[in-house]
Amino acid sequence: MNFSSVNGTSTVTEYERDNFTTAVIKNVIVTVLCISINYINTTLVHTFRKHQIFYTNPRYILFIHLVMNDMMQLTLSTLLHIISYTLYTISVPFCLMLLIVAILATLNTPLNLAGMAVECYIAICFPLRYGQICTVKNTYILIGLIWMASWFSILPDLFILLATEPLHFFYSEVLCVRDYVFRSSYSLKKRDVSHIICLVLVWLTVFFTYFRILFAAKEATPDIKKARNTILLHGFQLLLCMLTYVRPMFEQGLLYFLPKRYLDIHFAFYVIVQILPRFVSPIVYGLRDQTFRRHMRRYLLCKVNIRNHTENIMSNMKLPTMKLQ
């Protein structure tokens, strides 16, 4: 069997199924990648929670929100992929819950990247006002607005679904793919329009912040160079986000030349579009940041200070000495 991405289009039919060995190999690959990436992301979250320097800094708060969002999206995407091979179809209400959260996490990513770009822009171009604008409270308000905007994007699909589908549809079982659940032509058109508007606004934000930082000073100081590189990385990650929307076109192009390799092409695009972009945030942002890298190294490698641990055990076991008379 095969599974389309959260936002993609699938043409799965009953005869397009992998044999047992191939299905096991594909699911093992997906599961191993999911566990590995989420292990790194969990380490980042743990490091963030353990050190005040991170959870009182707006930049790190936005970064860790992006990481947790990626974890949520990756976990649900992997779960839906495995379900498509094992159960094939699930009940519509359960599918709706999984899809809504996965779609929200997907929509949050470009908006979060835009917020991180603006934070960088304020830090470089308005350093004296940075402390007043970029506070912890304002950062959490921004995160709330990101979730609200994503909710407003998906709510029309829910209303269209309730208005157009018969009651028995909600008691049935379906292949849990977005286009199989939100199958109204109105939903498809609305989705394309909302995606275009969102990406255009985010790209304009990234370009504006990058060029303002580029001309912020005549001499490129290390901080400005780092800010420019960071904005470029935001742009690179946005390109990865856009793969979700252009994936069907690329798939159709490859299928034209390799019509008998549909399942392999579909799986390759699933890994490239849904899984590998989730690997960018921890590697590019977490390990690239010297402060984060210094604090998370011991957690990532599970290093324990054995000497201090042993000394603590010995001190706890130490018995009071008795004076002999």
Short mmCIF file of all heavy atoms in Angstrom, two decimals, residues 27-63:
data_model
loop_
_atom_site.label_atom_id
_atom_site.label_comp_id
_atom_site.label_asym_id
_atom_site.label_seq_id
_atom_site.Cartn_x
_atom_site.Cartn_y
_atom_site.Cartn_z
N ASN A 27 8.70 0.82 5.89
CA ASN A 27 8.24 1.27 7.21
C ASN A 27 9.36 1.32 8.22
O ASN A 27 9.36 2.19 9.10
CB ASN A 27 7.11 0.36 7.70
CG ASN A 27 5.77 0.71 7.09
OD1 ASN A 27 5.09 1.62 7.52
ND2 ASN A 27 5.40 -0.02 6.06
N VAL A 28 10.33 0.40 8.12
CA VAL A 28 11.49 0.44 9.01
C VAL A 28 12.31 1.70 8.74
O VAL A 28 12.75 2.39 9.68
CB VAL A 28 12.36 -0.82 8.85
CG1 VAL A 28 13.70 -0.65 9.55
CG2 VAL A 28 11.64 -2.03 9.41
N ILE A 29 12.52 2.03 7.47
CA ILE A 29 13.28 3.24 7.12
C ILE A 29 12.59 4.48 7.69
O ILE A 29 13.23 5.34 8.32
CB ILE A 29 13.40 3.36 5.58
CG1 ILE A 29 14.32 2.26 5.04
CG2 ILE A 29 13.94 4.75 5.20
CD1 ILE A 29 14.37 2.21 3.52
N VAL A 30 11.29 4.59 7.48
CA VAL A 30 10.53 5.75 7.97
C VAL A 30 10.58 5.83 9.49
O VAL A 30 10.79 6.91 10.07
CB VAL A 30 9.08 5.67 7.46
CG1 VAL A 30 8.21 6.71 8.18
CG2 VAL A 30 9.02 5.90 5.97
N THR A 31 10.40 4.69 10.16
CA THR A 31 10.39 4.68 11.62
C THR A 31 11.75 5.04 12.20
O THR A 31 11.85 5.82 13.16
CB THR A 31 9.96 3.29 12.14
OG1 THR A 31 8.68 2.95 11.58
CG2 THR A 31 9.86 3.29 13.66
N VAL A 32 12.83 4.50 11.62
CA VAL A 32 14.18 4.80 12.10
C VAL A 32 14.49 6.29 11.92
O VAL A 32 15.05 6.94 12.83
CB VAL A 32 15.21 3.92 11.38
CG1 VAL A 32 16.63 4.41 11.67
CG2 VAL A 32 15.07 2.47 11.79
N LEU A 33 14.14 6.84 10.78
CA LEU A 33 14.36 8.27 10.55
C LEU A 33 13.57 9.12 11.53
O LEU A 33 14.09 10.10 12.09
CB LEU A 33 13.98 8.64 9.12
CG LEU A 33 14.92 8.17 8.01
CD1 LEU A 33 14.33 8.46 6.64
CD2 LEU A 33 16.29 8.83 8.14
N CYS A 34 12.32 8.74 11.76
CA CYS A 34 11.47 9.48 12.70
C CYS A 34 12.05 9.45 14.11
O CYS A 34 12.15 10.49 14.78
CB CYS A 34 10.06 8.89 12.69
SG CYS A 34 8.94 9.62 13.90
N ILE A 35 12.45 8.27 14.58
CA ILE A 35 13.00 8.15 15.93
C ILE A 35 14.32 8.91 16.06
O ILE A 35 14.56 9.61 17.05
CB ILE A 35 13.20 6.66 16.29
CG1 ILE A 35 11.83 5.96 16.40
CG2 ILE A 35 13.98 6.51 17.60
CD1 ILE A 35 11.93 4.46 16.60
N SER A 36 15.18 8.83 15.04
CA SER A 36 16.48 9.50 15.09
C SER A 36 16.31 11.02 15.15
O SER A 36 16.93 11.69 15.98
CB SER A 36 17.32 9.10 13.88
OG SER A 36 17.50 7.71 13.81
N ILE A 37 15.48 11.55 14.26
CA ILE A 37 15.28 13.00 14.22
C ILE A 37 14.59 13.48 15.49
O ILE A 37 14.98 14.52 16.07
CB ILE A 37 14.47 13.39 12.98
CG1 ILE A 37 15.28 13.07 11.71
CG2 ILE A 37 14.11 14.88 13.01
CD1 ILE A 37 14.50 13.25 10.43
N ASN A 38 13.60 12.73 15.95
CA ASN A 38 12.90 13.14 17.17
C ASN A 38 13.79 13.01 18.41
O ASN A 38 13.58 13.73 19.40
CB ASN A 38 11.62 12.33 17.35
CG ASN A 38 10.46 12.91 16.57
OD1 ASN A 38 10.54 14.04 16.07
ND2 ASN A 38 9.38 12.17 16.46
N TYR A 39 14.76 12.10 18.37
CA TYR A 39 15.70 12.01 19.49
C TYR A 39 16.54 13.28 19.59
O TYR A 39 16.72 13.85 20.68
CB TYR A 39 16.61 10.79 19.31
CG TYR A 39 17.77 10.76 20.29
CD1 TYR A 39 17.54 10.49 21.64
CD2 TYR A 39 19.07 11.02 19.87
CE1 TYR A 39 18.60 10.47 22.55
CE2 TYR A 39 20.12 11.00 20.77
CZ TYR A 39 19.88 10.73 22.10
OH TYR A 39 20.92 10.72 23.00
N ILE A 40 17.04 13.74 18.45
CA ILE A 40 17.80 14.99 18.44
C ILE A 40 16.92 16.16 18.87
O ILE A 40 17.33 17.01 19.67
CB ILE A 40 18.39 15.24 17.04
CG1 ILE A 40 19.35 14.12 16.65
CG2 ILE A 40 19.12 16.58 17.00
CD1 ILE A 40 19.86 14.21 15.22
N ASN A 41 15.69 16.20 18.35
CA ASN A 41 14.78 17.28 18.70
C ASN A 41 14.40 17.26 20.18
O ASN A 41 14.30 18.31 20.82
CB ASN A 41 13.51 17.19 17.85
CG ASN A 41 13.73 17.65 16.42
OD1 ASN A 41 14.63 18.44 16.15
ND2 ASN A 41 12.92 17.16 15.51
N THR A 42 14.21 16.06 20.72
CA THR A 42 13.90 15.95 22.15
C THR A 42 15.06 16.44 23.00
O THR A 42 14.86 17.08 24.03
CB THR A 42 13.58 14.49 22.51
OG1 THR A 42 12.49 14.02 21.70
CG2 THR A 42 13.18 14.36 23.97
N THR A 43 16.28 16.17 22.55
CA THR A 43 17.46 16.66 23.25
C THR A 43 17.50 18.19 23.23
O THR A 43 17.85 18.83 24.23
CB THR A 43 18.73 16.09 22.61
OG1 THR A 43 18.64 14.67 22.54
CG2 THR A 43 19.96 16.48 23.43
N LEU A 44 17.13 18.78 22.10
CA LEU A 44 17.08 20.24 22.01
C LEU A 44 16.05 20.81 22.99
O LEU A 44 16.32 21.80 23.67
CB LEU A 44 16.73 20.66 20.58
CG LEU A 44 17.80 20.44 19.52
CD1 LEU A 44 17.22 20.65 18.12
CD2 LEU A 44 18.98 21.37 19.73
N VAL A 45 14.88 20.18 23.04
CA VAL A 45 13.83 20.66 23.95
C VAL A 45 14.27 20.52 25.40
O VAL A 45 14.06 21.41 26.23
CB VAL A 45 12.52 19.89 23.70
CG1 VAL A 45 11.45 20.28 24.73
CG2 VAL A 45 11.99 20.14 22.29
N HIS A 46 14.91 19.39 25.72
CA HIS A 46 15.40 19.16 27.09
C HIS A 46 16.45 20.20 27.47
O HIS A 46 16.43 20.74 28.58
CB HIS A 46 15.98 17.75 27.20
CG HIS A 46 16.49 17.42 28.56
ND1 HIS A 46 15.66 17.19 29.64
CD2 HIS A 46 17.76 17.29 29.04
CE1 HIS A 46 16.38 16.92 30.71
NE2 HIS A 46 17.67 16.98 30.37
N THR A 47 17.37 20.48 26.55
CA THR A 47 18.39 21.50 26.80
C THR A 47 17.76 22.86 27.01
O THR A 47 18.17 23.63 27.89
CB THR A 47 19.38 21.56 25.61
OG1 THR A 47 19.91 20.25 25.37
CG2 THR A 47 20.51 22.53 25.89
N PHE A 48 16.76 23.18 26.21
CA PHE A 48 16.05 24.45 26.33
C PHE A 48 15.41 24.59 27.71
O PHE A 48 15.49 25.65 28.35
CB PHE A 48 14.99 24.52 25.23
CG PHE A 48 14.04 25.68 25.35
CD1 PHE A 48 14.39 26.93 24.86
CD2 PHE A 48 12.79 25.53 25.93
CE1 PHE A 48 13.52 28.01 24.96
CE2 PHE A 48 11.92 26.60 26.04
CZ PHE A 48 12.28 27.84 25.55
N ARG A 49 14.78 23.54 28.21
CA ARG A 49 14.07 23.60 29.49
C ARG A 49 15.02 23.68 30.68
O ARG A 49 14.66 24.21 31.74
CB ARG A 49 13.17 22.37 29.65
CG ARG A 49 11.98 22.35 28.71
CD ARG A 49 11.14 21.08 28.91
NE ARG A 49 10.60 21.04 30.27
CZ ARG A 49 11.02 20.21 31.22
NH1 ARG A 49 12.01 19.36 30.97
NH2 ARG A 49 10.48 20.22 32.41
N LYS A 50 16.23 23.18 30.52
CA LYS A 50 17.15 23.08 31.65
C LYS A 50 17.96 24.35 31.89
O LYS A 50 18.56 24.49 32.97
CB LYS A 50 18.12 21.91 31.44
CG LYS A 50 17.49 20.54 31.60
CD LYS A 50 17.10 20.29 33.05
CE LYS A 50 16.54 18.90 33.26
NZ LYS A 50 16.15 18.67 34.68
N HIS A 51 17.97 25.27 30.95
CA HIS A 51 18.85 26.43 31.08
C HIS A 51 18.06 27.72 30.88
O HIS A 51 17.41 27.91 29.85
CB HIS A 51 20.00 26.35 30.07
CG HIS A 51 20.85 25.12 30.23
ND1 HIS A 51 21.83 25.01 31.20
CD2 HIS A 51 20.85 23.94 29.56
CE1 HIS A 51 22.40 23.82 31.10
NE2 HIS A 51 21.82 23.15 30.12
N GLN A 52 18.16 28.60 31.84
CA GLN A 52 17.41 29.85 31.82
C GLN A 52 17.82 30.75 30.66
O GLN A 52 17.01 31.53 30.15
CB GLN A 52 17.60 30.60 33.14
CG GLN A 52 16.73 31.85 33.28
CD GLN A 52 16.92 32.53 34.61
OE1 GLN A 52 17.79 32.13 35.40
NE2 GLN A 52 16.12 33.54 34.89
N ILE A 53 19.06 30.63 30.22
CA ILE A 53 19.54 31.47 29.12
C ILE A 53 18.72 31.26 27.85
O ILE A 53 18.63 32.14 26.99
CB ILE A 53 21.04 31.19 28.86
CG1 ILE A 53 21.61 32.20 27.86
CG2 ILE A 53 21.24 29.77 28.34
CD1 ILE A 53 23.08 32.04 27.61
N PHE A 54 18.07 30.08 27.73
CA PHE A 54 17.30 29.77 26.54
C PHE A 54 15.83 30.16 26.68
O PHE A 54 15.28 30.83 25.81
CB PHE A 54 17.41 28.28 26.22
CG PHE A 54 18.80 27.83 25.91
CD1 PHE A 54 19.36 26.73 26.55
CD2 PHE A 54 19.58 28.50 24.97
CE1 PHE A 54 20.64 26.32 26.27
CE2 PHE A 54 20.87 28.10 24.68
CZ PHE A 54 21.40 27.00 25.34
N TYR A 55 15.19 29.74 27.78
CA TYR A 55 13.74 29.99 27.87
C TYR A 55 13.40 31.42 28.29
O TYR A 55 12.23 31.73 28.48
CB TYR A 55 13.05 28.96 28.77
CG TYR A 55 13.49 28.89 30.20
CD1 TYR A 55 13.12 29.86 31.14
CD2 TYR A 55 14.27 27.83 30.65
CE1 TYR A 55 13.52 29.78 32.46
CE2 TYR A 55 14.67 27.73 31.97
CZ TYR A 55 14.28 28.70 32.87
OH TYR A 55 14.67 28.61 34.19
N THR A 56 14.40 32.29 28.44
CA THR A 56 14.14 33.71 28.63
C THR A 56 14.57 34.54 27.42
O THR A 56 14.56 35.76 27.47
CB THR A 56 14.87 34.23 29.88
OG1 THR A 56 16.28 33.97 29.75
CG2 THR A 56 14.34 33.56 31.14
N ASN A 57 14.95 33.87 26.34
CA ASN A 57 15.41 34.53 25.12
C ASN A 57 14.40 34.30 24.00
O ASN A 57 14.13 33.15 23.62
CB ASN A 57 16.78 33.96 24.72
CG ASN A 57 17.42 34.74 23.59
OD1 ASN A 57 16.79 35.06 22.60
ND2 ASN A 57 18.70 35.03 23.73
N PRO A 58 13.81 35.37 23.44
CA PRO A 58 12.80 35.21 22.39
C PRO A 58 13.28 34.40 21.19
O PRO A 58 12.51 33.63 20.61
CB PRO A 58 12.49 36.65 21.99
CG PRO A 58 12.83 37.47 23.19
CD PRO A 58 14.00 36.79 23.81
N ARG A 59 14.54 34.55 20.82
CA ARG A 59 15.06 33.83 19.65
C ARG A 59 15.01 32.33 19.88
O ARG A 59 14.58 31.57 19.00
CB ARG A 59 16.49 34.27 19.38
CG ARG A 59 17.14 33.61 18.18
CD ARG A 59 18.45 34.28 17.84
NE ARG A 59 18.23 35.70 17.56
CZ ARG A 59 19.22 36.56 17.35
NH1 ARG A 59 20.48 36.16 17.40
NH2 ARG A 59 18.96 37.82 17.09
N TYR A 60 15.42 31.89 21.06
CA TYR A 60 15.41 30.46 21.35
C TYR A 60 13.99 29.95 21.57
O TYR A 60 13.70 28.78 21.29
CB TYR A 60 16.28 30.17 22.58
CG TYR A 60 17.75 30.39 22.34
CD1 TYR A 60 18.45 31.37 23.02
CD2 TYR A 60 18.44 29.62 21.41
CE1 TYR A 60 19.81 31.58 22.79
CE2 TYR A 60 19.79 29.82 21.17
CZ TYR A 60 20.47 30.81 21.87
OH TYR A 60 21.80 31.01 21.63
N ILE A 61 13.10 30.78 22.07
CA ILE A 61 11.70 30.37 22.24
C ILE A 61 11.07 30.08 20.88
O ILE A 61 10.39 29.05 20.69
CB ILE A 61 10.90 31.45 22.99
CG1 ILE A 61 11.41 31.58 24.42
CG2 ILE A 61 9.40 31.11 23.00
CD1 ILE A 61 10.79 32.74 25.19
N LEU A 62 11.29 30.96 19.90
CA LEU A 62 10.77 30.73 18.56
C LEU A 62 11.41 29.50 17.93
O LEU A 62 10.73 28.71 17.24
CB LEU A 62 11.02 31.96 17.68
CG LEU A 62 10.13 33.18 17.94
CD1 LEU A 62 10.62 34.37 17.12
CD2 LEU A 62 8.68 32.87 17.60
N PHE A 63 12.70 29.33 18.17
CA PHE A 63 13.39 28.17 17.61
C PHE A 63 12.83 26.87 18.18
O PHE A 63 12.56 25.91 17.45
CB PHE A 63 14.89 28.26 17.88
CG PHE A 63 15.62 26.95 17.71
CD1 PHE A 63 15.73 26.38 16.46
CD2 PHE A 63 16.18 26.31 18.79
CE1 PHE A 63 16.39 25.16 16.30
CE2 PHE A 63 16.83 25.10 18.64
CZ PHE A 63 16.94 24.53 17.38
#
